[in-house]
Structures are given as C-alpha cells and as structure tokens.
C-alpha cells in the first residue's frame, strides 16, 4: 500500500470517528461544560489511533504521520477560528 493512500485512509477514519463521537456526546446527558472539554482531546485520541496503525505496520514513517496529523489539526483550528469570527461579526 502506498504511504499517501494509507495516510488519507487514516485521516478519514480519524475524522469519521471523531464526528461520530461528537454526535454521541452532543446527544447525551453530559453537561455542556463537560462536552466542550471532551471535544478537543477526543480528536487527538482518534488521530493517534488512526495514524498509529499504518506507523506500526511500517507503511508510513512516523515523521510523515506526525506531519500529516499536525497539519490536519492546524487546518481544523483555522476553520473553527474563522467560523467563530464570522459568527461574532454577523451578530
């Protein structure tokens, strides 16, 4: 399996798992304050699980997996910041 294909599959798995987990948290009995504290750490858990598989199998070097995970996380932060600024401006 090619390394780039394995990274794309891993990040899709991480994103799908994270979205599903966030959906379950939002529709649960957990207090809103606790929900906010769970969302960000859960992304790193899903990303570590998803990227750990190809790294342990030797398909993807650890440095490439860390670079992909870091850049994906920075991109997600930028999207969230831009959305919050846009929501604040439209009030």
């Amino acid at each position: 399996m090619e390394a780039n294909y394995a990274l794309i599959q891993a990040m899709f798995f991480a994103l799908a798992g994270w979205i599903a987990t966030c959906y379950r948290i939002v529709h649960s009995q957990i207090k809103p304050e606790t929900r906010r504290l769970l969302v960000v750490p859960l992304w790193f858990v899903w990303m570590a699980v998803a990227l750990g598989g190809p790294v342990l199998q030797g398909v993807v070097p650890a440095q490439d997996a860390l670079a992909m995970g870091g850049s994906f996380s920075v991109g997600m932060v930028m999207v969230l910041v831009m959305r919050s600024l846009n929501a604040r401006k439209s009030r």
Side-chain angles (χ1 to χ4, degrees):
M1 181 185 299
E2 187 181 331
N4 290 335
Y5 185 68
L7 283 173
I8 290 171
Q9 281 183 324
M11 293 312 293
F12 179 76
F13 177 77
L15 190 60
W18 182 65
I19 289 172
T21 305
C22 288
Y23 178 83
R24 291 296 300 159
I25 288 172
V26 167
H27 292 90
S28 68
Q29 301 290 332
I30 300 173
K31 292 186 282 184
E33 296 83 22
T34 308
R35 288 182 204 165
R36 282 188 223 115
L37 293 175
L38 288 173
V39 171
V40 173
L42 282 172
W43 164 248
F44 291 107
V45 170
W46 275 102
M47 188 175 57
V49 168
L51 291 174
V55 169
L56 288 176
Q57 290 176 350
V59 177
V60 177
Q63 184 177 2
D64 290 350
L66 285 173
M68 176 66 143
S71 62
F72 203 87
S73 297
V74 167
M76 285 177 57
V77 166
M78 292 302 296
V79 167
L80 292 174
V81 167
M82 297 303 275
R83 283 190 68 198
S84 68
L85 290 175
N86 192 22
R88 191 174 295 182
K89 189 187 316 183
S90 64
R91 280 191 222 174

